[in-house]
């Protein structure tokens, strides 16, 4: 199992990161809360990974912090929840926000995420409530550090051609519908925004 990678950021196309390690490029899918923490292209970074082997694919999911990876692993243990849905959950919510939602039985907050209806949200909360007690009690300070930064409008993508389309593509990859993604991106877009800032604003507006 591949549990950690240390290398240079070769490409950034949210929610995918291409990490070059000893001449090999690893394509890693990341929740946006982790993606926001990645450095510029060409800089080195350590990514904590979760490796999934399927009949038709081998997939790497990456996280900026070990605790994010552990939360992801707990989420995908829930009945009917796969890695793609886990990625969407941790893209729309920080680790701390998700743990608090589960602790407060706030199913309505989860149904705003793609792929989650009320029944799925209620089942998630029931299944994860006991499992996440230790996160709430013992690791809250670490979780708090994972909240999204309030302001970050700096340029991140060296080769971004169309900021608006980049943002829409990222939302589609996370499970949002074309019409929904297009509508919210156009609604929140500001002239000074790069792709990362636009994705962040779009996700925030849907929660």
């Amino acid at each position: 199992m591949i549990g950690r990678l240390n290398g240079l950021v070769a490409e950034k196309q949210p929610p995918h990161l291409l990490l070059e390690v000893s001449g090999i490029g690893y394509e890693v899918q990341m929740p946006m809360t982790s993606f926001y923490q990645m450095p510029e292209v060409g800089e080195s970074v350590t990514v904590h990974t979760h490796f999934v082997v399927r009949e038709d694919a081998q997939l790497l999911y990456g996280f900026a912090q070990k605790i994010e990876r552990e939360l992801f692993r707990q989420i995908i243990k829930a009945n009917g929840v796969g890695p793609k849905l886990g990625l969407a959950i941790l893209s729309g919510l920080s680790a701390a926000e998700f743990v608090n939602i589960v602790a407060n039985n706030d199913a309505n907050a989860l149904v705003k995420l793609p792929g989650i209806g009320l029944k799925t949200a209620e089942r998630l909360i029931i299944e994860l409530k006991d499992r996440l007690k230790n996160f709430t009690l013992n690791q809250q300070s670490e979780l708090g550090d994972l909240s999204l930064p309030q302001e970050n409008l700096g340029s991140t993508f060296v080769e971004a051609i169309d900021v608006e389309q980049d943002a829409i593509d990222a939302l589609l990859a996370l499970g949002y519908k074309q019409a929904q993604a297009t509508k919210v991106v156009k609604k929140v877009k500001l002239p000074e925004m790069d792709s990362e800032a636009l994705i962040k604003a779009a996700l925030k507006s849907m929660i």
Side-chain angles (χ1 to χ4, degrees), residues 30-204:
M30 308 187 80
M32 291 308 300
T33 45
S34 283
F35 195 92
Y36 298 144
Q37 301 176 58
M38 293 298 100
E40 303 283 352
V41 171
E43 296 184 15
S44 63
V45 69
T46 296
V47 175
H48 302 279
T49 57
H50 177 79
F51 188 42
V52 173
V53 178
R54 300 188 328 212
E55 290 184 4
D56 60 343
Q58 297 184 31
L59 304 170
L60 265 177
Y61 296 89
F63 306 88
Q65 308 289 338
K66 282 185 179 180
I67 195 169
E68 292 176 295
R69 182 182 64 184
E70 179 57 29
L71 183 56
F72 175 81
R73 287 173 171 172
Q74 293 298 329
I75 290 172
I76 63 176
K77 285 180 182 178
N79 184 37
V81 178
K84 185 174 182 179
L85 186 53
L87 202 72
I89 290 171
L90 292 181
S91 289
L93 299 166
S94 71
E97 288 169 337
F98 179 75
V99 170
N100 287 334
I101 283 171
V102 172
N104 294 325
N105 299 306
D106 189 2
N108 290 329
L110 292 179
V111 298
K112 298 176 183 178
L113 299 170
I116 299 184
L118 184 58
K119 289 184 178 179
T120 300
E122 291 173 342
R123 186 177 68 249
L124 260 174
I125 289 172
I126 291 171
E127 291 191 35
L128 293 177
K129 198 171 183 67
D130 285 338
R131 294 185 205 166
L132 299 186
K133 277 184 178 178
N134 290 334
F135 279 81
T136 304
L137 296 175
N138 299 331
Q139 301 174 5
Q140 188 64 47
S141 61
E142 289 184 65
L143 288 169
D145 293 338
L146 302 180
S147 297
L148 303 186
Q150 295 301 308
E151 297 292 337
N152 182 8
L153 300 179
S155 178
T156 301
F157 311 115
V158 175
E159 299 179 357
I161 298 173
D162 188 330
V163 169
E164 188 173 303
Q165 190 59 52
D166 281 350
I168 292 171
D169 289 343
L171 294 178
L172 293 177
L174 293 171
Y176 289 93
K177 302 297 184 183
Q178 176 76 51
Q180 183 184 19
T182 302
K183 181 179 179 180
V184 73
V185 166
K186 290 184 179 295
K187 178 181 178 181
V188 303
K189 183 182 177 184
L190 297 175
E192 69 271 22
M193 284 181 169
D194 62 8
S195 299
E196 183 176 333
L198 182 54
I199 295 164
K200 188 183 301 183
L203 287 169
K204 184 176 180 181

